């Protein structure tokens, strides 16, 4: 009987201990869940909430999780200045519930993003400044958010890092990039057989008709190609980051990995056709674009294109000379400095 | 420390050879339960022996007796995954156990069916159709959780034993599919009737 009492007491203490009123502290570390469509999505709020600046991180994938972005020097630097919100999107990370395939759409995720921003303002005060930060797939989601209705009025700025806001364009530009860089690397004698394999594959494709499967294969080659670039600066999310990720991380890595891997096929096929280039003119909010020069996964051509087409004059494009798909790790100091400049200007 | 462990082993082996098994009757199990051994939690349960039989083998002129049994174990566990959720698990395992005569060492394989109630950590806000948010009290969801389990341990004597147990479960329905949960348990088996 005592054990039963202990279990019930522990449960109640655990459940209610965290339900205190929100305080904007310099070292915040709390979890809030957004429930939408009977689906629960955790958002891990960390860092300097007293700054009243909240940066909502839209993770990559699709199929990643928010807390993957909480490791490395850049995260530590940003958390010391601002509150970072590491959110697990619908059907990804540790988001849970019971969903049907039709509940998993880009548009629903855009609405989740909108709801979460409004929730942050309800919980932490309407006077907080929210910036949206999207990396890779997060760039697709973030751009879709920015061009929908008047949603962008909820944020002070949009930060797109290596964002995949146009997947068909991405595939074409990736093939072009491989064809441009592979011969140079082969001539230098760097990983020649690997580069040749990648180049052969790129040469075999009809860039006007890249299929879903070919796109997936290209993505794998893109990650491989980046690994062969010797100019990249070493990342800052090394072994310590991995230990933290698997041991002390609130995220459950096994659940997160399987959850993201089971995104419905219909959703993945829709994502493959996601293209917002023609709608970028709708973005009138200050925008910072950050790209690695050697980003094969989302080539920098997308950054240049976005810079040309985004409809505000308050826009900046930063290309990181020694970075690939994750400049926040390759050149963390400059990456953070650029975000800080941007946030301080528009908060 | 090594001497103490050896002493426990020896005492265990002497007691087991003379006494009835710890698994006879309805011993309770109590111990740690959680993800990977790093998240706090506990579990309590019991063992019900469905059937036992013994096999004897001659090995180097020594008769070795192995006890085998089928058992069922109803259990209740609770754990807290920091900043993620608290889990309450009610499960029943059905399994097969092999106990060695010497030292009382045993291993067991079992399958379980369970119901898990997952309580969100922190505060949960429900987005309403009118654009407002409603704070949820005790926000939770229920999942069916069948498991595969491997257990090992030792009967120290007819009253005490220790065990470790690994479980892999399929939490379902989870979004549009199924996800895996892994658990580790370690604790004591106590026969209160002895």
């Amino acid at each position: 009987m005592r054990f039963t009492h202990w279990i019930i007491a522990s449960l109640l203490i655990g459940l209610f201990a965290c339900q205190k009123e929100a305080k904007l502290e310099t070292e915040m570390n709390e979890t809030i869940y957004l429930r939408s469509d009977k689906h629960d999505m955790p958002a891990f709020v960390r860092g300097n909430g007293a700054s009243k600046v909240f940066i909502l991180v839209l993770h990559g994938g699709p199929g990643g999780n928010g807390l993957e972005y909480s490791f490395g020097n850049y995260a530590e630097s940003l958390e010391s200045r601002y509150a970072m919100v590491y959110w697990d999107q619908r059907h990804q990370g540790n988001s849970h519930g019971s969903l049907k395939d039709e509940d998993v759409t880009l548009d629903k995720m855009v609405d989740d993003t909108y709801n979460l921003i409004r929730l942050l303002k309800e919980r932490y005060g309407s006077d907080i400044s929210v910036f949206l930060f999207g990396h890779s797939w997060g760039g697709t989601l973030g751009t879709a958010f920015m061009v929908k209705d008047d949603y962008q009025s909820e944020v002070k700025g949009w930060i797109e890092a290596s964002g995949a806001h146009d997947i068909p364009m991405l595939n074409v530009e990736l093939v072009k990039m491989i064809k441009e860089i592979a011969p140079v690397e082969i001539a230098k004698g760097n990983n020649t057989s690997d580069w040749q394999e990648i180049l052969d594959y790129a040469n075999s494709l009809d860039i006007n008709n890249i299929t879903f499967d070919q796109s997936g294969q290209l993505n794998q080659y893109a990650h491989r190609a980046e690994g062969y670039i010797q100019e990249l600066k070493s990342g800052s999310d090394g072994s310590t980051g991995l230990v933290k990720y698997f041991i002390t991380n609130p995220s459950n890595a096994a659940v997160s990995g399987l959850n993201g891997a089971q995104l419905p096929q219909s959703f993945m096929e829709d994502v493959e056709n996601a293209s917002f280039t023609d709608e970028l003119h709708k973005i009138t909010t200050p925008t910072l674009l950050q790209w690695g020069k050697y980003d094969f996964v989302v080539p920098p051509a997308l950054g240049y294109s976005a810079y040309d087409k985004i409809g505000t004059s308050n826009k900046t494009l930063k290309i990181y000379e020694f970075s690939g798909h994750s400049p926040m790790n390759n050149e963390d100091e400059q990456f953070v400095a650029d975000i800080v400049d941007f946030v301080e200007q528009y908060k | 420390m090594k001497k103490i462990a050896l002493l426990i082993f020896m005492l265990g082996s002497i007691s087991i050879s003379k006494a009835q098994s710890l698994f006879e009757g309805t011993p309770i199990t109590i111990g740690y339960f959680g993800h990977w051994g790093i998240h706090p939690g506990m579990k309590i349960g019991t063992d019900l022996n469905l059937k036992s039989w013994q096999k004897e083998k001659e090995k180097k002129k020594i008769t070795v007796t192995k006890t085998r049994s089928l058992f069922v174990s109803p259990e209740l566990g609770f754990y807290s995954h920091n900043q993620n959720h608290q889990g309450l698990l009610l499960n029943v395992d059905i399994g097969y156990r092999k106990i060695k005569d010497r030292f009382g060492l045993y291993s067991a394989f079992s399958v379980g069916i369970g119901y898990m109630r997952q309580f969100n950590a922190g505060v949960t806000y429900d987005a309403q159709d009118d654009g407002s948010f409603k704070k949820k009290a005790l926000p939770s969801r229920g999942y069916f959780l069948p498991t595969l389990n491997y257990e090992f341990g030792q009967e120290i004597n007819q009253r005490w034993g220790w065990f470790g147990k690994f479980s892999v479960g399929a939490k379902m329905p989870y979004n549009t599919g199924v996800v895996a949960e892994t658990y580790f348990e370690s604790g004591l088996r106590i026969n209160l009737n002895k």
Side-chain angles (χ1 to χ4, degrees):
Chain A
M1 200 60 190
R2 281 182 183 172
F3 293 125
T4 311
H5 286 161
W6 188 92
I7 289 167
I8 292 169
S10 301
L11 178 63
L12 295 176
I13 290 167
L15 290 170
F16 290 112
C18 300
Q19 299 201 2
K20 57 194 176 190
E21 288 305 310
K23 287 181 184 170
L24 293 175
E25 297 166 338
T26 53
E27 293 185 12
M28 290 178 68
N29 186 8
E30 65 175 15
T31 307
I32 58 173
Y33 273 84
L34 169 65
R35 177 172 287 184
S36 185
D37 282 343
K38 297 180 181 175
H39 184 69
D40 292 353
M41 295 166 275
F44 304 93
V45 182
R46 291 180 174 180
N48 188 351
S51 68
K52 293 195 173 185
V53 172
F54 283 66
I55 299 179
L56 172 55
V57 177
L58 303 179
H59 62 70
N65 75 60
L67 284 171
E68 287 173 349
Y69 289 81
S70 67
F71 303 109
N73 294 338
Y74 86 98
E76 205 171 294
S77 297
L78 286 174
E79 285 177 18
S80 71
R81 292 175 173 86
Y82 312 119
M84 303 295 287
V85 184
Y86 305 106
W87 170 49
D88 287 353
Q89 298 156 23
R90 182 178 289 236
H91 205 310
Q92 295 163 79
N94 286 261
S95 290
H96 70 116
S98 182
L99 289 172
K100 295 172 183 167
D101 284 7
E102 55 265 33
D103 295 324
V104 186
T105 65
L106 176 55
D107 197 52
K108 292 252 186 189
M109 291 178 191
V110 167
D111 287 345
D112 292 339
T113 309
Y114 179 67
N115 281 332
L116 181 58
I117 292 168
R118 290 191 310 106
L119 173 57
L120 291 173
K121 291 180 179 178
E122 173 154 321
R123 181 165 172 79
Y124 300 111
S126 56
D127 59 337
I128 64 168
S129 298
V130 178
F131 286 78
L132 199 57
F133 170 93
H135 175 243
S136 197
W137 149 255
T140 318
L141 174 56
T143 304
F145 169 89
M146 294 298 289
V147 301
K148 182 171 180 180
D149 300 337
D150 190 33
Y151 282 10
Q152 63 182 300
S153 65
E154 293 289 339
V155 298
K156 291 287 177 72
W158 162 228
I159 304 166
E160 185 180 21
S162 312
H165 57 259
D166 191 326
I167 308 284
M169 179 194 282
L170 182 162
N171 287 330
V172 171
E173 293 300 332
L174 172 53
V175 171
K176 287 182 188 171
M177 192 170 170
I178 290 170
K179 287 180 178 177
E180 183 185 324
I181 292 179
V184 177
E185 294 295 316
I186 291 168
K188 285 196 283 189
N190 294 337
N191 301 92
T192 49
S193 59
D194 295 303
W195 276 114
Q196 191 60 55
E197 180 188 341
I198 295 169
L199 181 60
D200 289 345
Y201 187 75
N203 283 330
S204 73
L205 297 176
D206 172 7
I207 60 169
N208 297 312
N209 186 26
I210 294 174
T211 65
F212 179 80
D213 290 339
Q214 288 170 336
S215 178
Q217 182 61 57
L218 265 175
N219 182 262
Q220 287 183 28
Y221 276 131
H223 284 284
R224 272 180 62 185
E226 188 170 314
Y228 302 140
I229 296 293
Q230 295 174 346
E231 285 81 355
L232 298 187
K233 286 192 175 176
S234 57
S236 63
D237 63 341
S239 56
T240 308
L242 283 175
V243 169
K244 281 170 74 178
Y245 181 72
F246 285 105
I247 304 296
T248 61
N249 189 357
S251 182
N252 184 330
V255 168
S256 174
L258 285 168
N259 194 18
Q262 294 175 81
L263 279 161
Q265 182 70 11
S266 56
F267 168 73
M268 297 303 286
E269 288 173 1
D270 283 348
V271 166
E272 204 54 41
N273 296 317
S275 170
F276 294 99
T277 297
D278 292 341
E279 297 182 72
L280 291 176
H281 66 274
K282 295 179 184 171
I283 299 177
T284 54
T285 302
T287 300
L288 170 63
L289 303 163
Q290 299 177 290
W291 249 270
K293 179 181 174 183
Y294 295 103
D295 185 352
F296 284 85
V297 181
V298 184
L302 271 78
Y304 289 110
S305 165
Y307 181 75
D308 286 343
K309 294 187 169 59
I310 280 176
T312 175
S313 57
N314 296 321
K315 56 187 174 183
T316 307
L317 171 63
K318 297 284 184 182
I319 299 289
Y320 301 93
E321 292 293 317
F322 306 103
S323 293
H325 188 52
S326 297
M328 67 283 278
N329 294 325
N330 294 123
E331 293 175 75
D332 55 283
E333 287 183 14
Q334 190 57 51
F335 188 87
V336 169
D338 291 335
I339 289 179
V340 171
D341 284 349
F342 178 74
V343 169
E344 292 302 315
Q345 191 176 355
Y346 296 109
K347 71 182 181 185
Chain B
M1 193 66 194
K2 281 182 181 173
K3 285 180 181 173
I4 294 170
L6 188 63
L7 187 63
I8 290 172
F9 248 68
M10 288 172 69
L11 285 173
S13 62
I14 292 164
S15 320
I16 291 301
S17 61
K18 290 179 180 172
Q20 289 179 307
S21 168
L22 164 68
F23 296 101
E24 289 176 14
T26 49
I28 62 162
T29 54
I30 182 167
Y32 169 79
F33 168 67
H35 284 148
W36 317 317
I38 53 172
H39 297 101
M42 72 173 293
K43 200 175 198 185
I44 184 168
T46 187
D47 269 352
L48 304 170
N49 237 349
L50 298 176
K51 185 182 178 185
S52 292
W53 65 99
Q54 291 190 328
K55 279 190 176 179
E56 290 187 348
K57 276 187 181 176
E58 283 284 329
K59 274 189 178 178
K60 294 178 184 175
K61 296 183 182 175
I62 299 171
T63 306
V64 177
T65 308
K66 286 183 179 176
T67 306
R68 298 172 187 210
S69 61
L70 293 174
F71 64 93
V72 58
S73 301
E75 298 171 322
L76 179 67
F78 171 75
Y79 68 93
S80 177
H81 189 128
N82 180 39
Q83 291 192 299
N84 190 317
H85 68 272
Q86 288 88 36
L88 187 63
L89 177 66
L90 180 63
N91 69 288
V92 178
D93 294 348
I94 298 172
Y96 170 73
R97 181 186 290 124
K98 279 200 301 193
I99 308 168
K100 288 182 182 173
D101 188 29
R102 289 186 80 194
F103 306 124
L105 295 171
Y106 74 89
S107 62
F109 291 94
S110 60
V111 293
I113 51 169
Y115 174 78
M116 181 190 170
R117 198 76 201 171
Q118 180 169 328
F119 296 85
N120 292 343
V123 189
T124 297
Y125 291 88
D126 195 357
Q128 306 293 297
D129 291 339
D130 63 3
S132 64
F133 297 99
K134 191 176 174 185
K135 240 185 211 183
K136 298 296 289 184
L138 293 176
S140 65
R141 295 194 177 283
Y143 295 103
F144 178 53
L145 187 75
T147 55
L148 287 173
N149 316 295
Y150 170 70
E151 181 181 332
F152 59 93
Q154 185 192 17
E155 294 182 74
I156 295 172
N157 55 40
Q158 59 181 313
R159 187 176 172 84
W160 295 93
W162 62 265
F163 70 94
K165 182 176 168 185
F166 297 100
S167 300
V168 179
K171 192 158 67 175
M172 62 177 79
Y174 194 90
N175 293 329
T176 58
V178 177
V179 293
E181 285 280 12
T182 52
Y183 294 106
F184 174 68
E185 291 174 47
S186 179
L188 296 173
R189 177 172 275 102
I190 309 162
N191 197 333
L192 298 174
N193 297 325
K194 300 290 178 181

